[in-house]
Amino acid sequence: MTSSAAYLVPALAVGVPVGIYALFLGLVSIPYIQRFAVYSHKINTLWWPPHNPNRPERWGFAKNQVTPFPLHTLDHQTLYAWHILPLGLYIRHESALAAQDRSSTDGGGGFVPDITTTVNFQLLRDDPEARLVLYFHGNAGHITQSIRPRSFHALTSVSSKIHVLAIDYRGFGLSTGSPTEQGLILDARAAVDWATQVACIPPERIVLLGHSLGTAVAAATAAEYCCTSEAEAGCCSSDDGTEPNRDGDDDHETRVTTKPMEFAGIILVAAFSSLPTMLSGYAIAGWIPVLRPLSYWPWLLGKIISRIVDKWPSAERLTRLTRSAKTAGRRLNLTLIHARDDWDIPYHEDDELFKGAVRGLVQADLGVGNEYETGEQENEDDDERERIRREEEREVESCVESLLEKEKGKKTVERWMGDVKKESERAFVTTWEDGEVCIRQELWPHGGHNHLMYYALVPMAVIRAFGLAD
């Protein structure tokens, strides 16, 4: 008995955690459970009455400064949205704004079914100097959870011209539906279309701002509206090239942009290059590994990664975005902001995004990439086309690595945020300009995963994108 116990205890000590981990891997291979874990959209505080988002005053906003209202997507989902007035503008029109009676509206005293009837909407639509930030938040929670209200305050306090439109994606908060990659892209399209077609704000007065998961949404949206052709946009197709299930509804087919938009800026805060890449090294709270243990068995890691249903290939989308802008000579202002002490998404993911953006510029210079996406080589057989594609990829990658090694350091300014020049206090700002394309990367020593959103860094990036800085 003593001998059996001596083996049983170690076996249980090893076997139980391994069994639980294997069960976890099996469960997250199921698309429904996987999406529940990735988006965490049901983790929220809506069950607690004080967190009713229809009463924005509870988060420090002035009476009727915020208008909660519905947005409708092309596939017939209803999104919950906030339009937030800049504080300076609110103060100038406080009497008219506060006098609006919303006590009889739906949703508990603040929700407005038709925002076009409000003074708030008129102040946005009728002001030729108005700027609009489309805010795409991260996973989990809803529009008023975590740091989101503080970041709204920060954005609307720096200028009397900057409005904010924030949405809860499908399945989040009070929005209908369930989240998927294609679904969230349609949600972002609903926000852009409302801003440009209903509020009549031209793209050059709009900034796309994404945080965490929202950076993937913003990158996909930018490629959707800013690329030359449907094939280049590629946003409504997954990483493996498959098209989403349209359920027979032609109303929300892939958007073809005949005249690409030029947004004032695209700002990605705490971004990741792609979901499979990020998850392969991800650790919850920075210390509970998810897929990292599988790195010892690359074949098994590859199998698990292949079962990730929503890819969110942001680095590839930035490549298409910068290539299209450079080729067409269009203006593109892209800013990447990350904290080096981010425990959730490591800052080296930001380097991969920067590299992806530069790769697009190199592809444009070499004249590669576009012909395969637009089908210009369809007369060649598959093997020959694949061989040429791989040769071009190797050539481009070699050029990108060489270019970054030679030039990035020259374009980077280092700063120390403390009194002592320690590595932990060092910040980097890289500005890469090529024609009308400007890529700016900011790596800051502090801020973690969330706090950068209400530090001065993000509002100042917005100010810079809008050209409002002195």
Side-chain angles (χ1 to χ4, degrees):
M1 292 295 292
T2 304
S3 177
S4 298
Y7 288 104
L8 181 61
V9 172
L12 289 174
V14 174
V16 170
V18 170
I20 292 173
Y21 187 59
L23 177 63
F24 164 76
L25 293 178
L27 288 174
V28 296
S29 295
I30 302 171
Y32 175 81
I33 295 177
Q34 184 183 124
R35 284 174 167 141
F36 188 92
V38 167
Y39 296 108
S40 303
H41 51 292
K42 294 301 182 183
I43 301 175
N44 60 54
T45 56
L46 287 177
W47 56 271
W48 193 18
H51 275 233
N52 177 6
N54 288 321
R55 299 187 180 277
E57 293 81 5
R58 289 174 173 169
W59 286 272
F61 296 98
K63 182 180 179 182
N64 294 340
Q65 182 186 358
V66 178
T67 305
F69 72 102
L71 275 178
H72 303 289
T73 68
L74 291 173
D75 61 340
H76 315 300
Q77 298 298 331
T78 300
L79 309 180
Y80 184 85
W82 269 16
H83 166 227
I84 309 160
L85 285 174
L87 187 59
L89 181 64
Y90 177 89
I91 292 172
R92 293 204 300 269
H93 300 272
E94 182 175 7
S95 298
L97 290 163
Q100 296 176 108
D101 183 11
R102 299 179 180 175
S103 60
S104 60
T105 58
D106 296 338
F111 188 80
V112 178
D114 183 3
I115 190 175
T116 63
T117 63
T118 66
V119 176
N120 306 61
F121 177 79
Q122 294 166 13
L123 290 174
L124 171 64
R125 181 194 59 194
D126 299 339
D127 182 3
E129 294 297 314
R131 269 68 165 182
L132 181 62
V133 174
L134 300 187
Y135 185 110
F136 303 110
H137 65 63
N139 72 339
H142 57 85
I143 206 166
T144 63
Q145 260 182 261
S146 185
I147 51 87
R148 290 159 198 166
R150 279 180 284 178
S151 61
F152 300 155
H153 279 295
L155 291 168
T156 54
S157 298
V158 293
S159 170
S160 61
K161 299 178 180 179
I162 298 177
H163 300 241
V164 172
L165 173 66
I167 64 170
D168 266 337
Y169 315 115
R170 61 187 64 204
F172 285 72
L174 298 176
S175 298
T176 64
S178 299
T180 65
E181 180 173 0
Q182 311 309 328
L184 266 62
I185 294 171
L186 286 174
D187 297 344
R189 283 180 55 183
V192 173
D193 291 346
W194 180 89
T196 56
Q197 299 172 19
V198 180
C200 300
I201 306 298
E204 58 269 21
R205 289 197 269 129
I206 295 175
V207 159
L208 305 182
L209 170 62
H211 173 236
S212 192
L213 170 66
T215 63
V217 179
T221 306
E224 177 84 1
Y225 284 90
C226 300
C227 290
T228 304
S229 68
E230 174 182 345
E232 270 194 306
C235 295
C236 287
S237 60
S238 62
D239 200 25
D240 59 5
T242 59
E243 288 294 319
N245 180 11
R246 300 298 184 187
D247 296 327
D249 187 354
D250 293 331
D251 289 341
H252 58 286
E253 61 185 8
T254 303
R255 184 178 190 275
V256 180
T257 306
T258 55
K259 185 178 180 181
M261 293 183 177
E262 294 185 16
F263 293 105
I266 301 149
I267 302 174
L268 310 181
V269 184
F272 55 92
S273 57
S274 76
L275 192 58
T277 301
M278 192 267 288
L279 288 178
S280 63
Y282 179 71
I284 300 172
W287 61 278
I288 304 176
V290 178
L291 299 180
R292 194 181 298 168
L294 300 181
S295 60
Y296 296 102
W297 301 277
W299 64 270
L300 181 56
L301 178 61
K303 289 286 186 182
I304 297 297
I305 289 296
S306 68
R307 298 187 66 86
I308 295 177
V309 291
D310 292 340
K311 310 294 186 182
W312 290 112
S314 293
E316 292 183 14
R317 283 167 172 157
L318 292 188
T319 297
R320 289 194 289 270
L321 183 63
T322 55
R323 181 180 66 231
S324 179
K326 175 70 184 296
T327 301
R330 289 193 306 274
R331 177 182 175 276
L332 176 65
N333 185 354
L334 172 66
T335 301
L336 308 172
I337 302 176
H338 218 116
R340 298 177 68 201
D341 65 348
D342 188 334
W343 50 260
D344 200 358
I345 299 177
Y347 72 90
H348 63 72
E349 286 286 310
D350 213 67
D351 291 331
E352 290 301 313
L353 286 164
F354 185 88
K355 182 178 178 180
V358 172
R359 184 182 294 112
L361 300 176
V362 172
Q363 287 182 350
D365 288 336
L366 296 178
V368 302
N370 291 339
E371 65 270 24
Y372 295 104
E373 292 184 355
T374 56
E376 292 181 10
Q377 302 292 330
E378 60 184 6
N379 292 329
E380 298 183 14
D381 61 74
D382 291 342
D383 291 341
E384 180 65 12
R385 185 162 59 245
E386 180 64 17
R387 183 188 66 79
I388 295 174
R389 187 185 66 82
R390 290 185 181 278
E391 287 181 358
E392 288 183 341
E393 283 183 354
R394 286 193 292 269
E395 180 184 4
V396 168
E397 203 61 27
S398 175
C399 289
V400 170
E401 295 289 350
S402 176
L403 188 62
L404 288 173
E405 183 179 356
K406 292 178 181 178
E407 299 296 330
K408 189 174 183 182
K410 300 176 184 178
K411 302 175 186 295
T412 300
V413 176
E414 298 183 14
R415 301 174 184 173
W416 281 264
M417 308 308 293
D419 296 331
V420 181
K421 290 187 176 182
K422 298 188 300 183
E423 177 62 28
S424 61
E425 297 293 325
R426 188 158 56 164
F428 301 85
V429 178
T430 304
T431 305
W432 193 292
E433 296 180 325
D434 190 339
E436 293 296 305
V437 178
C438 178
I439 308 166
R440 181 183 174 96
Q441 182 187 30
E442 301 181 15
L443 296 177
W444 299 94
H446 308 298
H449 185 66
N450 292 319
H451 303 304
L452 283 180
M453 287 302 292
Y454 58 85
Y455 285 1
L457 299 172
V458 173
M460 289 310 299
V462 171
I463 287 284
R464 192 183 308 113
F466 282 133
L468 297 176
D470 293 332

